[in-house]
Amino acid sequence: MNDARQPLNPSAARLEPPKGLLSYPPVEKWHDWVEYDTAQWPRKVEKHYQIIPTICFNCEAACGLLGFVDKETNRIRRFDGNPEHPGSRGRNCAKGPATLNQVTDPERIRYPLKRVGKRGEGKWERVSWDEALDDIAARVRKALQEDRRNEIMYHVGRPGHELLYHQRIFHAWGIDGHNSHTNVCSAGARAGYAFWSGIDRPSPDHANARFILLLSSHLETGHYFNPHAQRIIEGKERGAKICVIDTRLSNTASKADYWLSSWPGSEAAILLAMCNVLLQQDLFDRDFVRKWVNWEEYLRAECPDEPQSFQAFISILKQTYAQYTPDFAAKEAGVDPRVLVAVAREVAKAGSAFSTHVWRNAAAGNLGGWQVARALQFLSVLVGAVGTPGGTAPNAANKYIPAPPLMPPPSKVWNELLLPKEYPLAFFEMSFLLPHFIKEGRGKLAMYFTRVYNPVWTNPDGMSWIEMLMDENKVERHACLTPTWSETAWFADYVLPMGHASERHDLMSQETQAARWIGFRQPILRVALEKQGKKFNTTYEAHEAAGIGQVWEEDEFWIELSWRIDPDGSLGIRKYFESPYEPGKKMTVDDYYRWIFENSVPGLPEAAAKRGLTPLEYMRKYGAFLVEDDVYNVHETRLKLSDLNDATTDPVTNLIAKNGAVLGVEVDGRACAGFPTPSRKLEFYSKTLKDWKWPEYAIPGYIKSHVHSDNIDVNAGEMLLLPTFRLPTLIHTRSGNAKWLYEISHRNPLWLNSKDAEILDVKTGDLLKVQTEIGYFIDKVWVTEGIKPGVVACSHHLGRWRLQEDSGGERWSTALVDLKQIGDGKWMMRHIHGIKPFESDDPDSKRIFWEDGGVHQNLTFPVQPDYISGQHCWHQKVRVTKPGPNDKYGDIFVDTNKSHEVYKRWLSKTRPAPGPDNLRRPLWLPRSYKPAPEAYYLKDKG
């Protein structure tokens, strides 16, 4: 045994397998795992468990979990990692085991509730699931019958499902009703990647990289944190170096080989300067660029008088990017140009084993942030690190989405409350503008669902959301599908308890590495009880039998609701929710997943048969399946000879088409699948951006942010507020009921450089007033050298609040506040008290030692949508001062009339549809829940 891995107890070293220590319980013993009860120590009292796999839901990574169910009490005792899961490999961050807190939370919502007072008044009565379903179904049915399809909206933050489950539902209903949180999260990065490759997410192969470039802190808190962190460490153990571009000195930056503390918004300039170094010093992969970049299209369109040769293209490229010198970027970003050049040479040295990632960070914070992702991808393209071992692939190569049964055709409607004409290239729905759209009279909602989404708290300008949700003429009925209270649930008509990670079914697949896998989330307590021979018609009946109330799951909820919307089949909906095995009978979750696992997952039926299992039994037993490993260079996949029969190749574009559909592209005489772009190449030149009225951004470039240093008047006390960074133990609003996590992290002070602290005459713990364009908030200061002068930073994970003492919010994490409207559009919030001990069935609730729950900064941010990607530009220009004598910690003031004026100012900068052929949006560009092609065309010109 390696000395570094010696067990802490010397006696353990003398133990030998199979009686010795095990990393994980072996699968063959999961049906009856025996441990000694630690509460009975020093007596050796055996405890017997069923171990049942599921999927974590405390971030998007979809790591595997094992639930240990006590056979005597049928209670979940703990959660460990699932070693059979290809992505997480048995390892979890702190958020995984904390799932137990969410299951046992004494304040969770256990039964359906209906509002009986005014919205926001906090008066509720318990109702049956039948009563709620019948009311909601009647409202949806009436809207469909009256052709008010765009008045039905499902607004989801983190679905925990592959897109196709809910796509089935809304296609069956014939609506364009899926709204998401994407434009407050990742729209900027998505747009930047999609304009290059047609796929809007990256998949870095960190484990095999020689050099890793991270924008933000992906090792310790970033996107797909746990699976990526594992592989970044593996890459580093193999000799890879790491560079972090992040304004803050994050934990990741502190351990990196290079740290570039950039002025927020300057990141594209840094990356383009690196590209320029590679170009001028001929350190790029000429062959890859020649084969896979659409340089010929660029020359034809933009340089028709130049020689139409690759050498001419390279000469033009060098001339075009010569302006991005290291000194230029250093001045824009406030970094050392020598470090920038050193990193560029490290990138060149790594070549095709260069992995990168940006998701939120600079891409989400800034106007033009999508060009940060585009510039980063340019760097990868230049060294040929696309889809290679150690490189970064488009995520579709490393993700598997199995086809479901009975998929309806797409709807033929377009909902302009989701994607209005002003944002034809947005990624995706302009969700955070909904209150402003409705305020302008663009529409109303007859039935509004919110699920794993808390727009009042998460979105900018939350007071505008409260104003909309309180107006029953604008939102006629609001059902909040949630296991816990939230700031948004408080303003709903129905609060319907849906299960946590271990309390429902769904499928997950994420781009955690160069492989394709699926993970199966399942309701652990229902599975445990059914293994004992008990049978249930619904998951909420199983949960009631297990003692946690009528907590349901979405899969069954939507099937049952659809069945009631169309009870006789006359609307054409019901047929999509019949069993694929017994036509006419209502589909069950077993029917749904049995069909997928038998018909849509390559290799799964064979793997199951080898173990004497059905595919569904296999997934219930193991919880995950590796579809394909070592997936690289998917764009080079050769087209089948059968597909090439009767196909034609365009002599100019080299596109291969058949029956009007493009199949791929010819590269050096080979028929390849290519990328899902119009050219089937990586699009350095985006004809789409040119055709859709943004010709100045047709190639990767640098857009000065709305918070560029030129726009910050230091002499007037202005600073830049960076509000986007994560904490490793929390995840937006989903972890508010996890006591272990809040015990660790419960404050979000203002990071302030010591030079700025000296100017403001404050020290750590003092208060500062941060004034935005529409209001202000009061927070405490943390003085640190880990932030750039002129910038203040505040984590977005904290500042939860409730309006009543004993309900409306998790008391582990929320402050009690007084919220008042003190004038037309003017709102004031003040803390009554912070977090404190409370009485409950959990003795830990009386042991709470923390009081500070943070400050809700997002309420004070106006909406700032990027004109192209639609991304809310989170960074704020603020004025930072000492508070007045009547100001207190946690105070918030907002003027929603000012917010609406800011909305209109940003809206005026857009360049609306139509585009070519009177289209609303390019047909090829990704869009979640795509409607039918005919819905893309505007009926009237303009």
Side-chain angles (χ1 to χ4, degrees), residues 295-296 299 303 306-316:
W295 59 269
E296 294 150 308
L299 290 178
C303 309
E306 298 291 336
Q308 302 293 293
S309 67
F310 181 66
Q311 187 55 47
F313 170 70
I314 294 300
S315 296
I316 293 169

Side-chain angles (χ1 to χ4, degrees), residues 864-936:
Q864 299 177 158
D866 182 87
Y867 319 138
I868 294 176
S869 71
Q871 169 75 54
H872 171 62
C873 304
W874 279 103
H875 294 343
Q876 304 287 318
K877 181 172 76 171
V878 297
R879 187 165 177 264
V880 181
T881 62
K882 285 191 173 182
N886 297 320
D887 291 327
K888 295 184 178 180
Y889 175 68
D891 279 1
I892 291 169
F893 171 76
V894 173
D895 186 333
T896 57
N897 290 323
K898 285 186 177 179
S899 175
H900 194 60
E901 291 304 312
V902 175
Y903 153 77
K904 289 192 288 186
R905 188 175 76 239
W906 282 68
L907 187 74
S908 69
K909 303 292 182 65
T910 62
R911 301 175 188 175
D917 302 321
N918 212 37
L919 281 165
R920 299 175 180 272
R921 180 180 179 85
L923 286 164
W924 76 270
L925 203 62
R927 194 205 148 174
S928 55
Y929 297 27
K930 272 192 170 187
E934 54 262 46
Y936 276 69

